[in-house]
Amino acid sequence: MFGINYIKFDSMTYVIQYKNGEIAREGKGLSFFYFSPNSSIASIPTGSNDINFIFTETTSDFQEVSIQGNITYKIEKPRQLAELLDYTVDSNGNYKKNDFEKLNERLINEAQTATSSFIREMDLVDSINSSKELSSEIYQNLKDSNAISQLGVVPLKINILSIKATPETQKALESKAREELLKRADLAIYERRNFSVEQERMIKQSELNTEIAIVEKEKEIAEKQMERDVAEAENDRKIREMKVRADFSVESKRQELIDIQVSNEKKSAESQGYAVEAMIKPYRDLDWRVLSALNQQSGDARNNIALAFRELAENAGKIGTLNISPDLFDMLLKQEKGKR
């Protein structure tokens, strides 16, 4: 009414009121009455904003890649931005010009400049895998850019959503990657089989070592057994030798004893022979008739008859005819039987 209006802004909006070309008031979240014929109001949002972008760049090996991402930024110096871009609003709070697009284009241009210089130094495969490095490169470039700092804008975060090659190139890369995966799969199969073979070899080697150890142990046991048998044989030999020596000693002692006994018996026999020799020496030169007469019992007619027959036998050559009566023999026989 009569050109006096009321306007209100939220807390995230920085407001500058110009009156007759001079700043009348400024700040966040203001609400006030103003006289529209001599006033203009600039409204700068101070919250974070996002810009989406998509670029097409060429790698060092002359392959096109498409880079898609977004930029998150914040207007840190709204008064400085208001001096470069027009953020004037009408009485309803609507912008008279769309200078937000200019700000976004400048940010995107700076980001594309950084992206182009970065991608052109890399080949296709490396560029596709460089999302993290590229985001850091764009962020640092925006932060160091004089044009962006003059606008009073500060980058908060750069997100690279995707880096893609052309469909034909993508298929070629997929084929190559597929071949690499197949090679890796084949290599994994080979390594698994090789590992299995190696494990089997190790098991066989372990079994062979075990068999060798068993044979060595059996050989050692056999050697110990042989040594024990040799020792037992040696002990048996020594025992037999000791027995032989003992038997030899016993037999020697026995031989000595026999020799002594023989010597004693010989001496005893010699002594007895000497005694008999001495006893019969007086009778050696006597006639047997005398000896027989001395030995016969007195009154024994048989002895006398026997002596008579002996005399007859010795003088048989001198006797012509001899008659002996049978009665004499009968009488001698009867006497012999009677004694029995």
Side-chain angles (χ1 to χ4, degrees):
M1 184 179 182
F2 305 108
I4 298 175
N5 298 321
Y6 176 79
I7 195 167
K8 181 180 180 181
F9 298 93
D10 59 37
S11 62
M12 295 301 294
T13 304
Y14 192 89
V15 181
I16 302 174
Q17 181 189 4
Y18 293 93
K19 185 176 181 181
N20 296 323
E22 299 291 335
I23 297 175
R25 61 169 62 89
E26 63 179 319
K28 289 183 177 181
L30 298 180
S31 59
F32 53 88
F33 290 95
Y34 67 97
F35 185 61
S36 59
N38 64 354
S39 298
S40 63
I41 299 171
S43 174
I44 301 99
T46 57
S48 61
N49 296 287
D50 292 327
I51 308 171
N52 295 322
F53 63 84
I54 182 169
F55 307 140
T56 300
E57 298 293 340
T58 304
T59 63
S60 61
D61 51 357
F62 307 103
Q63 300 296 320
E64 289 187 356
V65 291
S66 176
I67 301 104
Q68 183 179 358
N70 63 56
I71 302 171
T72 301
Y73 70 93
K74 177 183 179 182
I75 300 174
E76 191 177 46
K77 298 176 181 179
R79 186 173 181 179
Q80 186 175 330
L81 179 61
E83 292 177 357
L84 297 175
L85 297 176
D86 187 2
Y87 281 86
T88 304
V89 296
D90 57 18
S91 59
N92 295 323
N94 298 320
Y95 288 104
K96 294 180 180 181
K97 293 183 180 180
N98 193 10
D99 277 7
F100 267 110
E101 293 295 331
K102 292 182 180 180
L103 176 60
N104 292 343
E105 286 179 3
R106 291 182 184 181
L107 289 170
I108 290 173
N109 290 336
E110 289 292 332
Q112 187 171 8
T113 301
T115 301
S116 178
S117 61
F118 182 80
I119 292 297
R120 288 180 180 179
E121 294 178 356
M122 307 178 71
D123 59 18
L124 178 61
V125 177
D126 291 339
S127 63
I128 291 175
N129 298 322
S130 63
S131 298
K132 185 177 180 179
E133 292 81 0
L134 180 57
S135 63
S136 299
E137 181 71 17
I138 295 174
Y139 175 82
Q140 193 64 38
N141 186 270
L142 292 177
K143 187 177 180 180
D144 296 340
S145 173
N146 291 327
I148 301 302
S149 63
Q150 288 175 3
L151 293 173
V153 175
V154 175
L156 298 179
K157 189 176 182 181
I158 309 298
N159 293 319
I160 302 299
L161 303 179
S162 67
I163 302 176
K164 295 181 179 180
T166 60
E168 294 80 6
T169 307
Q170 188 70 26
K171 289 181 179 180
L173 291 176
E174 290 175 356
S175 299
K176 183 178 180 180
R178 190 180 301 109
E179 292 296 328
E180 290 294 329
L181 290 175
L182 292 175
K183 287 181 180 179
R184 291 181 183 179
D186 293 340
L187 181 61
I189 293 172
Y190 168 76
E191 289 178 350
R192 185 169 62 252
R193 290 179 178 175
N194 189 37
F195 177 77
S196 177
V197 171
E198 182 65 20
Q199 291 298 314
E200 185 176 356
R201 185 192 66 78
M202 292 177 64
I203 292 172
K204 290 184 178 179
Q205 183 66 34
S206 178
E207 292 177 350
L208 182 60
N209 292 336
T210 302
E211 292 178 0
I212 292 174
I214 293 173
V215 171
E216 291 294 333
K217 183 59 69 175
E218 290 177 350
K219 181 179 178 182
E220 183 178 352
I221 293 172
E223 290 177 353
K224 293 294 183 181
Q225 183 69 32
M226 186 179 296
E227 291 177 359
R228 189 181 67 182
D229 293 341
V230 171
E232 290 178 355
E234 182 67 20
N235 292 333
D236 292 341
R237 185 186 64 79
K238 290 181 179 179
I239 291 171
R240 289 196 301 270
E241 289 180 353
M242 292 174 63
K243 289 181 178 180
V244 169
R245 286 196 295 270
D247 293 341
F248 180 77
S249 177
V250 170
E251 293 297 330
S252 297
K253 296 296 183 181
R254 182 179 297 173
Q255 184 67 35
E256 291 178 0
L257 178 60
I258 292 172
D259 292 341
I260 293 172
Q261 290 177 349
V262 170
S263 178
N264 291 335
E265 290 178 357
K266 183 178 180 181
K267 289 180 180 180
S268 177
E270 289 177 355
S271 175
Q272 292 178 0
Y274 179 77
V276 171
E277 180 70 23
M279 184 180 65
I280 66 172
K281 186 176 181 180
Y283 301 100
R284 183 176 299 170
D285 296 330
L286 292 177
D287 192 341
W288 64 273
R289 297 179 186 88
V290 177
L291 292 176
S292 176
L294 292 174
N295 190 39
Q296 68 180 356
Q297 297 180 1
S298 61
D300 190 355
R302 292 177 300 166
N303 290 332
N304 294 327
I305 294 172
L307 291 173
F309 276 107
R310 184 168 183 172
E311 286 287 339
L312 293 173
E314 290 179 356
N315 298 304
K318 299 178 179 181
I319 300 173
T321 301
L322 177 62
N323 292 320
I324 298 174
S325 175
D327 295 334
L328 177 61
F329 290 105
D330 290 337
M331 181 186 65
L332 292 174
L333 293 173
K334 288 179 180 178
Q335 289 179 356
E336 183 67 25
K337 291 180 179 179
K339 288 183 180 181
R340 292 180 181 178

